[in-house]
């Protein structure tokens, strides 16, 4: 490394050289260090970013579509002086049956880190187990930790300390819901998810987040009534009702989740300064109305931009 982190620190020892698949690997202090670096990077013009990734190669593998994750990683790596090698899963030999194990061994000889977007979480877990270099989760069906880091950065910018802050998630208890609970636990948020029966987040993840969040004044819980979840919430968060991989079930999901839309009335039931969050892409008229998504309480564009800063900071700590 040829430069020190912009906030004056060194890479956090827990993050340096590690794979990040869920954020559960990290302590609150480590997540705080990454968010501090992200905020420091954001405060500088990108052309002035230190060359923290000079000479470093990062493979970005997408087995599912992406706009934000792909562009934000490419932009962040490039501004830190590194180089991103972007691969579509269908163009790789893995798409024709080369094993994850062999792919991991080969890429470990060629690049310094791998970011993977795939479906089954077991696939990225196997890649990380077989690779000799760090692996970062760019979304699996179960987790979206990079999105969660950007979400925490966005909330910190708006509200300062997150400890004890109530955040409501409304809709499908999917990867983004789980990762919000995980980052919430690591930053002290109280995350309450409102989901219809059958759409609750994985109970083991909720239990982990509830236990991990308590020392910081946070916690995680699930209710069925969106109005109960949003009462006193400073942020209300939603995501698509039909995640990648759920397409065959789309009609049933739209029917079952129809009462879980964020509209002006639900926003009005939250705290007066509450912001609206969504990882995007949004399905306007389904999980969120156009009016709310584009309204003055919407934080979604900041969330999207913050993917650059959060992920650049994460890679700076991992590869620093
Ligand atoms: N939020 C998010 O991960 O967006 P993309 O699917 O466009 O990467
Ligand atoms: N839950 C969504 C998030 C997309 C960024 C999905 O997995 O498709």
């Amino acid at each position: 490394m040829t430069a020190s982190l912009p906030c004056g620190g060194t890479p956090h020892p827990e993050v340096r050289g590690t794979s990040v698949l869920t954020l559960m690997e990290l302590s609150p202090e480590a997540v705080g260090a990454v968010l501090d670096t992200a905020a420091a990077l954001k405060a500088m013009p990108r052309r002035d970013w230190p060359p923290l990734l000079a000479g470093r190669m990062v493979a970005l593998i997408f087995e599912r579509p992406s706009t934000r994750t792909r562009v934000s990683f490419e932009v962040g790596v490039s501004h830190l002086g590194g180089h991103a090698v972007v691969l579509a899963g269908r163009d790789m030999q893995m798409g024709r049956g080369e094993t994850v194990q062999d792919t991991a061994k080969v890429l470990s000889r060629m690049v310094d880190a791998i970011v993977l977007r795939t479906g089954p979480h077991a696939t990225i877990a196997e890649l990380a187990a077989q690779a000799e270099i760090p692996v970062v989760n760019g979304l699996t069906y179960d987790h979206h930790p990079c999105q969660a880091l950007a979400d925490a950065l966005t909330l910190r910018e708006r509200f300062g300390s997150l400890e004890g802050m109530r955040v409501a998630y409304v809709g499908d208890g999917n990867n983004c819901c789980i990762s919000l609970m995980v980052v919430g636990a690591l930053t002290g948020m109280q995350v309450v998810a409102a989901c219809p029966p059958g759409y609750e987040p994985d109970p083991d993840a909720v239990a982990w987040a509830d236990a991990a969040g308590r020392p910081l004044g946070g916690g995680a819980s699930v209710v069925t009534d969106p109005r109960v979840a949003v009462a006193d919430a400073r942020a209300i968060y939603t995501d698509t009702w039909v995640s990648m991989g759920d397409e065959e079930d789309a009609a049933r999901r739209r029917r079952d989740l129809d009462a879980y839309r964020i509209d002006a009335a639900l926003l009005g039931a939250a705290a007066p300064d509450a912001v609206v969050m969504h990882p995007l892409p949004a399905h306007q008229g389904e999980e969120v109305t156009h009016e709310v998504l584009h309204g003055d309480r919407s934080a979604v564009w900041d969330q999207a931009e913050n993917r650059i800063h959060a992920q650049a900071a994460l890679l700076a700590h991992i590869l620093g």
Side-chain angles (χ1 to χ4, degrees):
M1 195 168 78
T2 56
S4 54
L5 294 178
C7 49
T10 53
H12 194 283
E14 256 180 55
V15 192
R16 191 172 191 171
T18 198
S19 289
V20 175
L21 305 190
T22 64
L23 293 179
M24 292 173 177
E25 307 88 351
L26 304 181
S27 66
E29 294 73 28
V31 168
V34 172
L35 293 175
D36 287 345
T37 302
L41 287 171
K42 188 169 182 179
M44 304 166 72
R46 287 183 208 145
R47 64 178 177 278
D48 293 341
W49 282 11
L52 300 170
L53 299 184
R56 301 304 190 103
M57 304 288 161
V58 181
L60 309 177
I61 304 175
F62 289 91
E63 295 189 333
R64 301 267 170 105
S66 169
T67 299
R68 281 144 288 267
T69 306
R70 174 179 171 165
V71 176
S72 56
F73 266 112
E74 278 204 69
V75 167
V77 168
S78 176
H79 278 294
L80 288 176
H83 185 74
V85 181
V86 186
L87 297 148
R90 66 176 176 277
D91 295 335
M92 295 178 69
Q93 296 291 7
M94 217 165 34
R96 298 178 55 241
E98 185 170 20
T99 64
V100 172
Q101 180 179 34
D102 292 359
T103 305
K105 286 181 178 298
V106 170
L107 290 181
S108 296
R109 301 283 181 101
M110 295 182 171
V111 299
D112 299 290
I114 304 169
V115 177
L116 173 65
R117 167 167 290 194
T118 187
H121 196 76
T123 302
I124 199 165
E126 187 186 356
L127 185 77
Q130 299 293 342
E132 290 154 26
I133 53 175
V135 173
V136 174
N137 184 353
L139 180 146
T140 60
Y141 193 72
D142 300 311
H143 292 273
H144 199 0
C146 293
Q147 180 67 52
L149 282 176
D151 298 340
L153 179 63
T154 305
L155 287 169
R156 258 183 35 158
E157 288 171 348
R158 301 260 174 160
F159 298 108
S161 170
L162 304 181
E163 292 189 15
M165 193 176 98
R166 184 177 171 97
V167 175
Y169 179 95
V170 177
D172 182 23
N174 62 16
N175 46 10
C176 289
C177 175
I178 288 171
S179 289
L180 180 69
M181 286 184 164
V182 173
V183 86
L186 294 166
T187 54
M189 296 183 227
Q190 293 175 9
V191 181
V192 184
C195 311
Y199 293 84
E200 301 92 345
D202 170 29
D204 290 342
V206 179
W208 183 94
D210 194 43
R214 290 209 176 252
L216 294 176
S221 57
V222 182
V223 299
T224 50
D225 186 344
R227 287 195 160 250
V228 169
V230 305
D232 299 324
R234 311 284 299 282
I236 60 176
Y237 195 121
T238 192
D239 185 20
T240 181
W241 295 338
V242 185
S243 284
M244 293 179 276
D246 288 334
E247 290 81 1
E248 285 183 8
D249 206 18
R252 183 177 67 88
R253 291 178 151 270
R254 290 192 178 103
R255 195 174 58 242
D256 292 349
L257 283 148
D258 193 53
Y260 290 76
R261 176 175 303 108
I262 296 186
D263 57 15
L266 192 62
L267 179 56
D273 62 349
V275 296
V276 173
M277 302 183 76
H278 193 306
L280 304 175
H283 303 78
Q284 298 168 49
E286 293 188 15
E287 75 273 6
V288 64
T289 61
H290 175 86
E291 173 197 16
V292 166
L293 186 78
H294 290 266
D296 58 9
R297 310 272 290 280
S298 176
V300 305
W301 320 113
D302 289 342
Q303 282 176 270
E305 181 192 344
N306 281 337
R307 298 291 302 277
I308 297 175
H309 312 108
Q311 292 156 190
L314 181 64
L315 288 175
H317 279 263
I318 290 174
L319 293 175

mmCIF file with all atom_site columns, all heavy atoms in Angstrom, residues 62 65-70 117 138-139 144 147 176 244 278-281 307, ligand 1:
data_model
loop_
_atom_site.group_PDB
_atom_site.id
_atom_site.type_symbol
_atom_site.label_atom_id
_atom_site.label_alt_id
_atom_site.label_comp_id
_atom_site.label_asym_id
_atom_site.label_entity_id
_atom_site.label_seq_id
_atom_site.pdbx_PDB_ins_code
_atom_site.Cartn_x
_atom_site.Cartn_y
_atom_site.Cartn_z
_atom_site.occupancy
_atom_site.B_iso_or_equiv
_atom_site.pdbx_formal_charge
_atom_site.auth_seq_id
_atom_site.auth_comp_id
_atom_site.auth_asym_id
_atom_site.auth_atom_id
_atom_site.pdbx_PDB_model_num
ATOM   1   N N   . PHE A 1 62  ? -20.669 -11.421 -11.888 1.00 0.00 ? 62  PHE A N   1
ATOM   2   C CA  . PHE A 1 62  ? -22.117 -11.236 -11.785 1.00 0.00 ? 62  PHE A CA  1
ATOM   3   C C   . PHE A 1 62  ? -22.845 -12.405 -12.436 1.00 0.00 ? 62  PHE A C   1
ATOM   4   O O   . PHE A 1 62  ? -22.881 -12.516 -13.656 1.00 0.00 ? 62  PHE A O   1
ATOM   5   C CB  . PHE A 1 62  ? -22.538 -9.900  -12.412 1.00 0.00 ? 62  PHE A CB  1
ATOM   6   C CG  . PHE A 1 62  ? -22.090 -8.733  -11.578 1.00 0.00 ? 62  PHE A CG  1
ATOM   7   C CD1 . PHE A 1 62  ? -20.871 -8.126  -11.806 1.00 0.00 ? 62  PHE A CD1 1
ATOM   8   C CD2 . PHE A 1 62  ? -22.873 -8.281  -10.532 1.00 0.00 ? 62  PHE A CD2 1
ATOM   9   C CE1 . PHE A 1 62  ? -20.434 -7.076  -11.010 1.00 0.00 ? 62  PHE A CE1 1
ATOM   10  C CE2 . PHE A 1 62  ? -22.451 -7.235  -9.729  1.00 0.00 ? 62  PHE A CE2 1
ATOM   11  C CZ  . PHE A 1 62  ? -21.226 -6.630  -9.970  1.00 0.00 ? 62  PHE A CZ  1
ATOM   12  N N   . PRO A 1 65  ? -28.242 -10.028 -12.758 1.00 0.00 ? 65  PRO A N   1
ATOM   13  C CA  . PRO A 1 65  ? -28.115 -8.652  -13.253 1.00 0.00 ? 65  PRO A CA  1
ATOM   14  C C   . PRO A 1 65  ? -27.759 -7.661  -12.136 1.00 0.00 ? 65  PRO A C   1
ATOM   15  O O   . PRO A 1 65  ? -28.015 -7.915  -10.957 1.00 0.00 ? 65  PRO A O   1
ATOM   16  C CB  . PRO A 1 65  ? -29.516 -8.339  -13.801 1.00 0.00 ? 65  PRO A CB  1
ATOM   17  C CG  . PRO A 1 65  ? -30.179 -9.652  -13.971 1.00 0.00 ? 65  PRO A CG  1
ATOM   18  C CD  . PRO A 1 65  ? -29.577 -10.586 -12.989 1.00 0.00 ? 65  PRO A CD  1
ATOM   19  N N   . SER A 1 66  ? -27.185 -6.541  -12.533 1.00 0.00 ? 66  SER A N   1
ATOM   20  C CA  . SER A 1 66  ? -26.854 -5.484  -11.577 1.00 0.00 ? 66  SER A CA  1
ATOM   21  C C   . SER A 1 66  ? -26.632 -4.177  -12.310 1.00 0.00 ? 66  SER A C   1
ATOM   22  O O   . SER A 1 66  ? -26.045 -4.155  -13.387 1.00 0.00 ? 66  SER A O   1
ATOM   23  C CB  . SER A 1 66  ? -25.572 -5.835  -10.815 1.00 0.00 ? 66  SER A CB  1
ATOM   24  O OG  . SER A 1 66  ? -25.125 -4.709  -10.076 1.00 0.00 ? 66  SER A OG  1
ATOM   25  N N   . THR A 1 67  ? -27.081 -3.090  -11.731 1.00 0.00 ? 67  THR A N   1
ATOM   26  C CA  . THR A 1 67  ? -26.692 -1.744  -12.165 1.00 0.00 ? 67  THR A CA  1
ATOM   27  C C   . THR A 1 67  ? -25.783 -1.111  -11.113 1.00 0.00 ? 67  THR A C   1
ATOM   28  O O   . THR A 1 67  ? -24.615 -0.819  -11.343 1.00 0.00 ? 67  THR A O   1
ATOM   29  C CB  . THR A 1 67  ? -27.931 -0.864  -12.386 1.00 0.00 ? 67  THR A CB  1
ATOM   30  O OG1 . THR A 1 67  ? -28.734 -1.463  -13.412 1.00 0.00 ? 67  THR A OG1 1
ATOM   31  C CG2 . THR A 1 67  ? -27.546 0.545   -12.821 1.00 0.00 ? 67  THR A CG2 1
ATOM   32  N N   . ARG A 1 68  ? -26.345 -0.909  -9.909  1.00 0.00 ? 68  ARG A N   1
ATOM   33  C CA  . ARG A 1 68  ? -25.632 -0.180  -8.849  1.00 0.00 ? 68  ARG A CA  1
ATOM   34  C C   . ARG A 1 68  ? -24.383 -0.902  -8.360  1.00 0.00 ? 68  ARG A C   1
ATOM   35  O O   . ARG A 1 68  ? -23.320 -0.283  -8.192  1.00 0.00 ? 68  ARG A O   1
ATOM   36  C CB  . ARG A 1 68  ? -26.564 0.057   -7.647  1.00 0.00 ? 68  ARG A CB  1
ATOM   37  C CG  . ARG A 1 68  ? -27.517 1.203   -7.838  1.00 0.00 ? 68  ARG A CG  1
ATOM   38  C CD  . ARG A 1 68  ? -28.842 0.893   -7.187  1.00 0.00 ? 68  ARG A CD  1
ATOM   39  N NE  . ARG A 1 68  ? -29.514 -0.118  -7.976  1.00 0.00 ? 68  ARG A NE  1
ATOM   40  C CZ  . ARG A 1 68  ? -30.383 0.161   -8.961  1.00 0.00 ? 68  ARG A CZ  1
ATOM   41  N NH1 . ARG A 1 68  ? -30.727 1.389   -9.189  1.00 0.00 ? 68  ARG A NH1 1
ATOM   42  N NH2 . ARG A 1 68  ? -30.913 -0.805  -9.699  1.00 0.00 ? 68  ARG A NH2 1
ATOM   43  N N   . THR A 1 69  ? -24.499 -2.191  -8.095  1.00 0.00 ? 69  THR A N   1
ATOM   44  C CA  . THR A 1 69  ? -23.364 -2.897  -7.497  1.00 0.00 ? 69  THR A CA  1
ATOM   45  C C   . THR A 1 69  ? -22.193 -2.910  -8.462  1.00 0.00 ? 69  THR A C   1
ATOM   46  O O   . THR A 1 69  ? -21.053 -2.623  -8.085  1.00 0.00 ? 69  THR A O   1
ATOM   47  C CB  . THR A 1 69  ? -23.791 -4.327  -7.116  1.00 0.00 ? 69  THR A CB  1
ATOM   48  O OG1 . THR A 1 69  ? -24.955 -4.236  -6.280  1.00 0.00 ? 69  THR A OG1 1
ATOM   49  C CG2 . THR A 1 69  ? -22.678 -5.061  -6.395  1.00 0.00 ? 69  THR A CG2 1
ATOM   50  N N   . ARG A 1 70  ? -22.485 -3.184  -9.715  1.00 0.00 ? 70  ARG A N   1
ATOM   51  C CA  . ARG A 1 70  ? -21.417 -3.226  -10.708 1.00 0.00 ? 70  ARG A CA  1
ATOM   52  C C   . ARG A 1 70  ? -20.758 -1.857  -10.878 1.00 0.00 ? 70  ARG A C   1
ATOM   53  O O   . ARG A 1 70  ? -19.538 -1.717  -10.807 1.00 0.00 ? 70  ARG A O   1
ATOM   54  C CB  . ARG A 1 70  ? -21.962 -3.716  -12.054 1.00 0.00 ? 70  ARG A CB  1
ATOM   55  C CG  . ARG A 1 70  ? -20.884 -3.619  -13.098 1.00 0.00 ? 70  ARG A CG  1
ATOM   56  C CD  . ARG A 1 70  ? -21.281 -4.099  -14.460 1.00 0.00 ? 70  ARG A CD  1
ATOM   57  N NE  . ARG A 1 70  ? -20.195 -3.713  -15.359 1.00 0.00 ? 70  ARG A NE  1
ATOM   58  C CZ  . ARG A 1 70  ? -20.026 -4.184  -16.565 1.00 0.00 ? 70  ARG A CZ  1
ATOM   59  N NH1 . ARG A 1 70  ? -20.862 -5.069  -17.040 1.00 0.00 ? 70  ARG A NH1 1
ATOM   60  N NH2 . ARG A 1 70  ? -19.031 -3.775  -17.307 1.00 0.00 ? 70  ARG A NH2 1
ATOM   61  N N   . ARG A 1 117 ? -21.718 -11.814 -7.170  1.00 0.00 ? 117 ARG A N   1
ATOM   62  C CA  . ARG A 1 117 ? -23.192 -11.805 -7.048  1.00 0.00 ? 117 ARG A CA  1
ATOM   63  C C   . ARG A 1 117 ? -23.690 -13.127 -7.590  1.00 0.00 ? 117 ARG A C   1
ATOM   64  O O   . ARG A 1 117 ? -23.438 -13.482 -8.758  1.00 0.00 ? 117 ARG A O   1
ATOM   65  C CB  . ARG A 1 117 ? -23.812 -10.645 -7.823  1.00 0.00 ? 117 ARG A CB  1
ATOM   66  C CG  . ARG A 1 117 ? -25.326 -10.785 -7.970  1.00 0.00 ? 117 ARG A CG  1
ATOM   67  C CD  . ARG A 1 117 ? -26.011 -9.545  -8.448  1.00 0.00 ? 117 ARG A CD  1
ATOM   68  N NE  . ARG A 1 117 ? -25.986 -8.520  -7.421  1.00 0.00 ? 117 ARG A NE  1
ATOM   69  C CZ  . ARG A 1 117 ? -26.734 -7.406  -7.449  1.00 0.00 ? 117 ARG A CZ  1
ATOM   70  N NH1 . ARG A 1 117 ? -27.584 -7.202  -8.454  1.00 0.00 ? 117 ARG A NH1 1
ATOM   71  N NH2 . ARG A 1 117 ? -26.658 -6.510  -6.483  1.00 0.00 ? 117 ARG A NH2 1
ATOM   72  N N   . GLY A 1 138 ? -21.545 -9.638  -3.225  1.00 0.00 ? 138 GLY A N   1
ATOM   73  C CA  . GLY A 1 138 ? -22.234 -8.587  -3.977  1.00 0.00 ? 138 GLY A CA  1
ATOM   74  C C   . GLY A 1 138 ? -23.717 -8.855  -4.124  1.00 0.00 ? 138 GLY A C   1
ATOM   75  O O   . GLY A 1 138 ? -24.369 -8.235  -4.969  1.00 0.00 ? 138 GLY A O   1
ATOM   76  N N   . LEU A 1 139 ? -24.275 -9.717  -3.336  1.00 0.00 ? 139 LEU A N   1
ATOM   77  C CA  . LEU A 1 139 ? -25.678 -10.131 -3.190  1.00 0.00 ? 139 LEU A CA  1
ATOM   78  C C   . LEU A 1 139 ? -25.795 -11.636 -3.420  1.00 0.00 ? 139 LEU A C   1
ATOM   79  O O   . LEU A 1 139 ? -25.297 -12.169 -4.414  1.00 0.00 ? 139 LEU A O   1
ATOM   80  C CB  . LEU A 1 139 ? -26.630 -9.411  -4.163  1.00 0.00 ? 139 LEU A CB  1
ATOM   81  C CG  . LEU A 1 139 ? -28.120 -9.786  -4.092  1.00 0.00 ? 139 LEU A CG  1
ATOM   82  C CD1 . LEU A 1 139 ? -29.015 -8.582  -4.382  1.00 0.00 ? 139 LEU A CD1 1
ATOM   83  C CD2 . LEU A 1 139 ? -28.484 -10.923 -5.057  1.00 0.00 ? 139 LEU A CD2 1
ATOM   84  N N   . HIS A 1 144 ? -27.241 -9.196  1.566   1.00 0.00 ? 144 HIS A N   1
ATOM   85  C CA  . HIS A 1 144 ? -26.726 -8.126  0.701   1.00 0.00 ? 144 HIS A CA  1
ATOM   86  C C   . HIS A 1 144 ? -25.918 -7.152  1.578   1.00 0.00 ? 144 HIS A C   1
ATOM   87  O O   . HIS A 1 144 ? -26.325 -6.009  1.817   1.00 0.00 ? 144 HIS A O   1
ATOM   88  C CB  . HIS A 1 144 ? -27.885 -7.426  0.003   1.00 0.00 ? 144 HIS A CB  1
ATOM   89  C CG  . HIS A 1 144 ? -27.493 -6.641  -1.222  1.00 0.00 ? 144 HIS A CG  1
ATOM   90  N ND1 . HIS A 1 144 ? -26.188 -6.547  -1.685  1.00 0.00 ? 144 HIS A ND1 1
ATOM   91  C CD2 . HIS A 1 144 ? -28.237 -5.893  -2.088  1.00 0.00 ? 144 HIS A CD2 1
ATOM   92  C CE1 . HIS A 1 144 ? -26.157 -5.787  -2.770  1.00 0.00 ? 144 HIS A CE1 1
ATOM   93  N NE2 . HIS A 1 144 ? -27.383 -5.378  -3.034  1.00 0.00 ? 144 HIS A NE2 1
ATOM   94  N N   . GLN A 1 147 ? -24.947 -3.480  0.357   1.00 0.00 ? 147 GLN A N   1
ATOM   95  C CA  . GLN A 1 147 ? -26.090 -2.563  0.429   1.00 0.00 ? 147 GLN A CA  1
ATOM   96  C C   . GLN A 1 147 ? -26.273 -2.073  1.863   1.00 0.00 ? 147 GLN A C   1
ATOM   97  O O   . GLN A 1 147 ? -26.480 -0.878  2.108   1.00 0.00 ? 147 GLN A O   1
ATOM   98  C CB  . GLN A 1 147 ? -27.366 -3.289  -0.039  1.00 0.00 ? 147 GLN A CB  1
ATOM   99  C CG  . GLN A 1 147 ? -28.600 -2.422  0.005   1.00 0.00 ? 147 GLN A CG  1
ATOM   100 C CD  . GLN A 1 147 ? -28.550 -1.285  -1.007  1.00 0.00 ? 147 GLN A CD  1
ATOM   101 O OE1 . GLN A 1 147 ? -28.313 -1.529  -2.175  1.00 0.00 ? 147 GLN A OE1 1
ATOM   102 N NE2 . GLN A 1 147 ? -28.751 -0.055  -0.562  1.00 0.00 ? 147 GLN A NE2 1
ATOM   103 N N   . CYS A 1 176 ? -32.246 -8.076  1.706   1.00 0.00 ? 176 CYS A N   1
ATOM   104 C CA  . CYS A 1 176 ? -32.003 -6.703  2.171   1.00 0.00 ? 176 CYS A CA  1
ATOM   105 C C   . CYS A 1 176 ? -32.553 -6.497  3.574   1.00 0.00 ? 176 CYS A C   1
ATOM   106 O O   . CYS A 1 176 ? -31.952 -5.768  4.380   1.00 0.00 ? 176 CYS A O   1
ATOM   107 C CB  . CYS A 1 176 ? -32.601 -5.693  1.189   1.00 0.00 ? 176 CYS A CB  1
ATOM   108 S SG  . CYS A 1 176 ? -31.667 -5.627  -0.356  1.00 0.00 ? 176 CYS A SG  1
ATOM   109 N N   . MET A 1 244 ? -34.731 -11.399 -7.258  1.00 0.00 ? 244 MET A N   1
ATOM   110 C CA  . MET A 1 244 ? -34.152 -12.270 -8.285  1.00 0.00 ? 244 MET A CA  1
ATOM   111 C C   . MET A 1 244 ? -34.191 -13.715 -7.774  1.00 0.00 ? 244 MET A C   1
ATOM   112 O O   . MET A 1 244 ? -33.692 -14.007 -6.686  1.00 0.00 ? 244 MET A O   1
ATOM   113 C CB  . MET A 1 244 ? -32.716 -11.827 -8.586  1.00 0.00 ? 244 MET A CB  1
ATOM   114 C CG  . MET A 1 244 ? -32.665 -10.470 -9.256  1.00 0.00 ? 244 MET A CG  1
ATOM   115 S SD  . MET A 1 244 ? -30.980 -9.901  -9.598  1.00 0.00 ? 244 MET A SD  1
ATOM   116 C CE  . MET A 1 244 ? -30.537 -9.164  -8.019  1.00 0.00 ? 244 MET A CE  1
ATOM   117 N N   . HIS A 1 278 ? -34.801 2.461   0.172   1.00 0.00 ? 278 HIS A N   1
ATOM   118 C CA  . HIS A 1 278 ? -35.046 1.354   -0.767  1.00 0.00 ? 278 HIS A CA  1
ATOM   119 C C   . HIS A 1 278 ? -33.704 1.067   -1.454  1.00 0.00 ? 278 HIS A C   1
ATOM   120 O O   . HIS A 1 278 ? -33.027 2.003   -1.881  1.00 0.00 ? 278 HIS A O   1
ATOM   121 C CB  . HIS A 1 278 ? -36.096 1.792   -1.799  1.00 0.00 ? 278 HIS A CB  1
ATOM   122 C CG  . HIS A 1 278 ? -36.661 0.683   -2.634  1.00 0.00 ? 278 HIS A CG  1
ATOM   123 N ND1 . HIS A 1 278 ? -35.869 -0.189  -3.358  1.00 0.00 ? 278 HIS A ND1 1
ATOM   124 C CD2 . HIS A 1 278 ? -37.938 0.306   -2.878  1.00 0.00 ? 278 HIS A CD2 1
ATOM   125 C CE1 . HIS A 1 278 ? -36.640 -1.052  -3.997  1.00 0.00 ? 278 HIS A CE1 1
ATOM   126 N NE2 . HIS A 1 278 ? -37.906 -0.782  -3.718  1.00 0.00 ? 278 HIS A NE2 1
ATOM   127 N N   . PRO A 1 279 ? -33.312 -0.200  -1.603  1.00 0.00 ? 279 PRO A N   1
ATOM   128 C CA  . PRO A 1 279 ? -32.015 -0.480  -2.238  1.00 0.00 ? 279 PRO A CA  1
ATOM   129 C C   . PRO A 1 279 ? -32.025 -0.201  -3.736  1.00 0.00 ? 279 PRO A C   1
ATOM   130 O O   . PRO A 1 279 ? -30.961 -0.037  -4.339  1.00 0.00 ? 279 PRO A O   1
ATOM   131 C CB  . PRO A 1 279 ? -31.800 -1.971  -1.967  1.00 0.00 ? 279 PRO A CB  1
ATOM   132 C CG  . PRO A 1 279 ? -33.190 -2.526  -1.816  1.00 0.00 ? 279 PRO A CG  1
ATOM   133 C CD  . PRO A 1 279 ? -33.983 -1.428  -1.158  1.00 0.00 ? 279 PRO A CD  1
ATOM   134 N N   . LEU A 1 280 ? -33.213 -0.193  -4.333  1.00 0.00 ? 280 LEU A N   1
ATOM   135 C CA  . LEU A 1 280 ? -33.402 -0.070  -5.782  1.00 0.00 ? 280 LEU A CA  1
ATOM   136 C C   . LEU A 1 280 ? -32.865 -1.337  -6.484  1.00 0.00 ? 280 LEU A C   1
ATOM   137 O O   . LEU A 1 280 ? -31.913 -1.914  -5.992  1.00 0.00 ? 280 LEU A O   1
ATOM   138 C CB  . LEU A 1 280 ? -32.741 1.187   -6.348  1.00 0.00 ? 280 LEU A CB  1
ATOM   139 C CG  . LEU A 1 280 ? -33.182 2.508   -5.703  1.00 0.00 ? 280 LEU A CG  1
ATOM   140 C CD1 . LEU A 1 280 ? -32.358 3.667   -6.273  1.00 0.00 ? 280 LEU A CD1 1
ATOM   141 C CD2 . LEU A 1 280 ? -34.672 2.751   -5.899  1.00 0.00 ? 280 LEU A CD2 1
ATOM   142 N N   . PRO A 1 281 ? -33.427 -1.780  -7.595  1.00 0.00 ? 281 PRO A N   1
ATOM   143 C CA  . PRO A 1 281 ? -34.458 -1.101  -8.371  1.00 0.00 ? 281 PRO A CA  1
ATOM   144 C C   . PRO A 1 281 ? -35.844 -1.197  -7.704  1.00 0.00 ? 281 PRO A C   1
ATOM   145 O O   . PRO A 1 281 ? -36.185 -2.218  -7.108  1.00 0.00 ? 281 PRO A O   1
ATOM   146 C CB  . PRO A 1 281 ? -34.445 -1.863  -9.703  1.00 0.00 ? 281 PRO A CB  1
ATOM   147 C CG  . PRO A 1 281 ? -33.972 -3.243  -9.355  1.00 0.00 ? 281 PRO A CG  1
ATOM   148 C CD  . PRO A 1 281 ? -32.993 -3.054  -8.235  1.00 0.00 ? 281 PRO A CD  1
ATOM   149 N N   . ARG A 1 307 ? -23.162 3.540   -2.121  1.00 0.00 ? 307 ARG A N   1
ATOM   150 C CA  . ARG A 1 307 ? -22.559 2.245   -2.447  1.00 0.00 ? 307 ARG A CA  1
ATOM   151 C C   . ARG A 1 307 ? -21.092 2.445   -2.826  1.00 0.00 ? 307 ARG A C   1
ATOM   152 O O   . ARG A 1 307 ? -20.239 1.625   -2.486  1.00 0.00 ? 307 ARG A O   1
ATOM   153 C CB  . ARG A 1 307 ? -23.323 1.579   -3.608  1.00 0.00 ? 307 ARG A CB  1
ATOM   154 C CG  . ARG A 1 307 ? -24.800 1.257   -3.332  1.00 0.00 ? 307 ARG A CG  1
ATOM   155 C CD  . ARG A 1 307 ? -24.949 0.153   -2.306  1.00 0.00 ? 307 ARG A CD  1
ATOM   156 N NE  . ARG A 1 307 ? -24.284 -1.075  -2.726  1.00 0.00 ? 307 ARG A NE  1
ATOM   157 C CZ  . ARG A 1 307 ? -24.817 -1.995  -3.552  1.00 0.00 ? 307 ARG A CZ  1
ATOM   158 N NH1 . ARG A 1 307 ? -26.043 -1.838  -4.014  1.00 0.00 ? 307 ARG A NH1 1
ATOM   159 N NH2 . ARG A 1 307 ? -24.138 -3.092  -3.861  1.00 0.00 ? 307 ARG A NH2 1
HETATM 160 N N1  . LIG B 2 .   ? -29.272 -2.332  -4.890  1.00 0.00 ? 1   LIG B N1  1
HETATM 161 C C1  . LIG B 2 .   ? -28.569 -3.082  -5.774  1.00 0.00 ? 1   LIG B C1  1
HETATM 162 O O1  . LIG B 2 .   ? -27.808 -3.973  -5.392  1.00 0.00 ? 1   LIG B O1  1
HETATM 163 O O2  . LIG B 2 .   ? -28.760 -2.744  -7.071  1.00 0.00 ? 1   LIG B O2  1
HETATM 164 P P1  . LIG B 2 .   ? -28.267 -3.551  -8.361  1.00 0.00 ? 1   LIG B P1  1
HETATM 165 O O3  . LIG B 2 .   ? -29.055 -4.833  -8.416  1.00 0.00 ? 1   LIG B O3  1
HETATM 166 O O4  . LIG B 2 .   ? -28.541 -2.648  -9.511  1.00 0.00 ? 1   LIG B O4  1
HETATM 167 O O5  . LIG B 2 .   ? -26.792 -3.856  -8.203  1.00 0.00 ? 1   LIG B O5  1
#
